[in-house]
Amino acid sequence: MTVAQSSAPARAGVVHIRHRHTSQFTVVGNHFAQNQDLSLVALGIGLYVQSLPDGAVISIKALSGRFKEGDVLIARALRELEEAGYLERERVRTEEGRVVTVTRWHEWPRTHPRPPVEPTECPAPPPRVKPEPRPEPPLPPVDQPAADLLAALRRHDPRLVLSEKDVRRLAPAVRAWLDRDIGPHQITRTLTADLPVGRIPWPARLLRYRLTSWLPPQLPTTPLEPRPAAPPRPDPLQTCDGCDRAFRAPAPGLCRDCRTAAGKAA
């Protein structure tokens, strides 16, 4: 038989391979798991009972149907748990007159005083410092032509209602259009054309986007070069009155040959 070799130091006894459970687990105190007065059967049944939800049936018949141990071992284990103070069974009479057994499971044995709970001192949270409100940037001075243009937009579309602050903040963007030789009527058409259908929740944001994103470029400062003169057009075709031959001339008459012949005859 070969012996497995390992670089880790070997030692006798159990080695725990830990696993962090995040769901479907049961917490059991060592006062129960390592109780030397309980048998293995009693420890196993107690662990099983503690993992059950409230209302589960843990009668001898139910446990014998769940485990391989017989009724005698299970009944003996339940008595051990009762004597240890973990299990409590009480027979009571209901309002209908029936006698039933009420079973209670104590995660700490009721026959032993509970250990004092040491208070855990949590450090007091630091006082929350309320951030000071950030001062609003000062409004630009009133640009009356730009302000009048913005305030009048609601005449073209009632949804473009702006506050006094919105008008003051958008006026510099309108001034940039005016300084680039864009007339008020053209700016108004640009701002009110092809608006979205339905309610406009933030008209100032829509107008700011159009004013900044659709700003046309500055006109060039250098004069445009004059166009080159077009080449002279040729004279139209005429039909010679003497020989019916086609020739180019500004007006009808005789071709060059007919004019020459007529000159010689004279």
Side-chain angles (χ1 to χ4, degrees):
M1 182 179 68
T2 60
V3 179
Q5 300 292 328
S6 175
S7 59
R11 60 179 181 180
V14 65
V15 177
H16 292 276
I17 309 301
R18 306 292 182 185
H19 172 72
R20 178 180 175 84
H21 293 84
T22 58
S23 63
Q24 301 295 325
F25 63 93
T26 301
V27 178
V28 180
N30 285 338
H31 58 84
F32 174 76
Q34 299 179 8
N35 195 317
Q36 298 181 0
D37 297 330
L38 296 175
S39 63
L40 283 176
V41 178
L43 291 174
I45 291 179
L47 175 62
Y48 173 71
V49 171
Q50 187 159 333
S51 68
L52 293 176
D54 290 347
V57 179
I58 57 171
S59 62
I60 296 176
K61 182 178 180 181
L63 293 174
S64 62
R66 168 65 176 79
F67 298 103
K68 298 179 181 180
E69 286 73 14
D71 296 349
V72 177
L73 284 178
I74 291 177
R76 184 184 303 165
L78 292 177
R79 287 195 297 271
E80 290 183 42
L81 294 172
E82 277 189 294
E83 294 173 0
Y86 292 101
L87 185 67
E88 180 183 4
R89 292 183 290 186
E90 180 183 4
R91 297 180 65 83
V92 297
R93 186 179 299 275
T94 63
E95 295 179 356
E96 293 81 8
R98 295 186 301 109
V99 177
V100 296
T101 301
V102 176
T103 306
R104 301 181 183 89
W105 176 260
H106 298 266
E107 294 187 359
W108 179 265
R110 61 189 182 92
T111 55
H112 294 71
R114 295 197 177 195
V117 178
E118 297 181 0
T120 57
E121 295 183 0
C122 298
R128 297 183 61 181
V129 179
K130 187 177 181 180
E132 296 183 359
R134 294 166 56 181
E136 294 186 1
L139 295 175
V142 179
D143 186 336
Q144 201 60 47
D148 292 343
L149 186 150
L150 291 167
L153 291 177
R154 66 175 182 266
R155 295 177 179 172
H156 301 271
D157 195 314
R159 296 174 298 172
L160 299 179
V161 177
L162 301 174
S163 66
E164 186 68 27
K165 286 185 177 180
D166 292 335
V167 170
R168 295 275 295 274
R169 289 170 179 165
L170 293 175
V174 175
R175 171 51 56 187
W177 285 63
L178 294 173
D179 292 343
R180 297 189 180 188
D181 294 333
I182 309 297
H185 297 290
Q186 179 62 40
I187 299 174
T188 301
R189 286 196 299 268
T190 303
L191 297 180
T192 58
D194 299 328
L195 291 173
V197 179
R199 177 174 172 267
I200 301 178
W202 303 102
R205 294 183 183 178
L206 173 65
L207 297 176
R208 179 178 297 278
Y209 172 80
R210 292 192 171 191
L211 288 170
T212 55
S213 300
W214 297 359
L215 179 66
Q218 290 274 12
L219 289 175
T221 56
T222 56
L224 297 177
E225 296 182 0
R227 291 184 178 182
R233 299 182 63 181
D235 293 336
L237 290 173
Q238 307 291 345
T239 301
C240 179
D241 296 337
C243 63
D244 292 334
R245 188 170 57 181
F247 69 99
R248 291 188 178 277
L254 298 174
C255 65
R256 183 174 57 182
D257 294 341
C258 291
R259 286 196 308 269
T260 303
K264 290 179 178 182

